[in-house]
Amino acid sequence: MNEKAPTPGDHDPEDATVRDQSSEGASADGPGQRPQPGRSGGARAARRRGYRGSWLDYAVTMLVALIIAVLVKTFLIQPFFIPSDSMNPTLVQNDKILVSKLSPGVFDLHRGDVVVFEDTQNWMQSETGTDQSSRYRLLTVLSWVGLAPDPSQNHLVKRLIGLPGDHVQCVEGGDLSVNGKTLDEPYINPETPACQTSFDVTVPADKLWVMGDNRFDSADSSYHYSQGEEPYVDEDDVTGRAVAIFWPVSRWTGLGDGRDAFASVPDPS
């Protein structure tokens, strides 16, 4: 069957739609033509909305990260730095340590643990607030959210020797014993004996007996006992148990080996 040849006036409606769209495109973008009103302004508005969205996402992310850091510092783990040599050779000056705040609480403390506690009895003259340098203030702020070690001196670090009810004794220049068991303490300064003074005590309820590993250079329980001062640490003052040295990298190590020295110590009678 012969088909009728299209005439210039005949066209399919769908073809018209396509041609009209192409024509509109040429009118909008073709050379020498004015852009449609509002088109570039809409693109700028979209970009501004994108920028605002990006900054909002960034701010929310930072806020969430800050909240997580505060929660971690409050309930899980907190960094501290070592300001003295009282725990030498286990810890040396300027070491940075991580302290688990799950002990005491979720987990019990054990003899031989390295513990950090608040200095509520002024065992060491606090230097908090004496350094007002910009670096000190910055570290103080970062320490509030657990992003830096606390630069203040209001916490002490010692080794837990006696739990409530333990009988702890030592003769000056001799070995330390707990509940009648003489200890072999590989963590103390090998150049000095285990005791700088003689003592024979039974640890009261809710109290702890603590000593530095550098026994002749530590203002610990034995030192304050010899001075006629309160020698015990309140359990409630314990911030947590030191679990590791994290800085400098060359000194990365765990701090849980001290418990081995007390493995054969019997419970108090």
Side-chain angles (χ1 to χ4, degrees):
M1 179 183 295
N2 295 328
E3 296 182 355
K4 181 179 178 181
T7 62
D10 295 336
H11 60 272
D12 186 81
E14 294 183 359
D15 292 340
T17 302
V18 173
R19 285 196 294 269
D20 289 345
Q21 290 174 345
S22 299
S23 175
E24 290 174 0
S27 175
D29 302 327
Q33 302 295 327
R34 174 181 291 181
Q36 290 184 350
R39 183 168 182 176
S40 59
R44 287 194 295 269
R47 285 196 295 271
R48 286 196 295 270
R49 287 194 297 270
Y51 295 149
R52 286 197 296 269
S54 297
W55 279 106
L56 180 61
D57 291 344
Y58 179 79
V60 170
T61 299
M62 292 298 295
L63 178 61
V64 171
L66 182 63
I67 292 173
I68 292 174
V70 170
L71 291 175
V72 168
K73 184 226 175 180
T74 302
F75 299 107
L76 296 179
I77 202 160
Q78 182 176 355
F80 285 89
F81 84 104
I82 305 303
S84 72
D85 288 322
S86 69
M87 283 293 291
N88 192 328
T90 304
L91 302 173
V92 299
Q93 193 170 7
N94 294 323
D95 276 351
K96 277 72 173 177
I97 60 175
L98 291 177
V99 174
S100 169
K101 306 186 84 169
L102 298 177
S103 299
V106 178
F107 302 106
D108 293 333
L109 293 173
H110 296 268
R111 303 180 193 95
D113 287 343
V114 176
V115 295
V116 171
F117 56 93
E118 190 175 355
D119 183 19
T120 59
Q121 301 181 81
N122 295 318
W123 279 12
M124 178 187 294
Q125 181 63 41
S126 176
E127 295 179 0
T128 305
T130 59
D131 184 351
Q132 295 301 320
S133 67
S134 298
R135 179 178 181 274
Y136 180 91
R137 291 194 293 269
L138 175 61
L139 289 176
T140 299
V141 172
L142 293 177
S143 73
W144 293 342
V145 295
L147 299 180
D150 187 348
S152 69
Q153 301 286 326
N154 62 339
H155 286 79
L156 296 173
V157 56
K158 304 294 178 189
R159 192 174 296 276
L160 175 53
I161 302 298
L163 293 167
D166 281 345
H167 179 207
V168 185
Q169 60 183 141
C170 191
V171 175
E172 183 177 354
D175 293 326
L176 183 67
S177 71
V178 178
N179 297 335
K181 177 66 178 180
T182 300
L183 302 180
D184 178 15
E185 300 181 278
Y187 43 74
I188 67 173
N189 187 339
E191 298 179 359
T192 60
C195 305
Q196 61 176 311
T197 185
S198 299
F199 55 85
D200 187 338
V201 300
T202 298
V203 183
D206 302 322
K207 302 288 186 178
L208 304 172
W209 182 273
V210 298
M211 299 179 72
D213 289 353
N214 195 6
R215 297 284 164 82
F216 280 64
D217 189 20
S218 177
D220 54 19
S221 291
S222 64
Y223 171 81
H224 290 283
Y225 178 85
S226 70
Q227 300 300 305
E229 301 169 354
E230 173 61 39
Y232 304 106
V233 173
D234 288 339
E235 288 184 307
D236 290 341
D237 288 341
V238 176
T239 301
R241 178 176 65 89
V243 295
I245 301 170
F246 76 92
W247 193 263
V249 174
S250 60
R251 287 185 49 76
W252 276 1
T253 185
L255 295 171
D257 294 343
R259 295 181 180 181
D260 295 342
F262 297 80
S264 59
V265 171
D267 291 333
S269 57

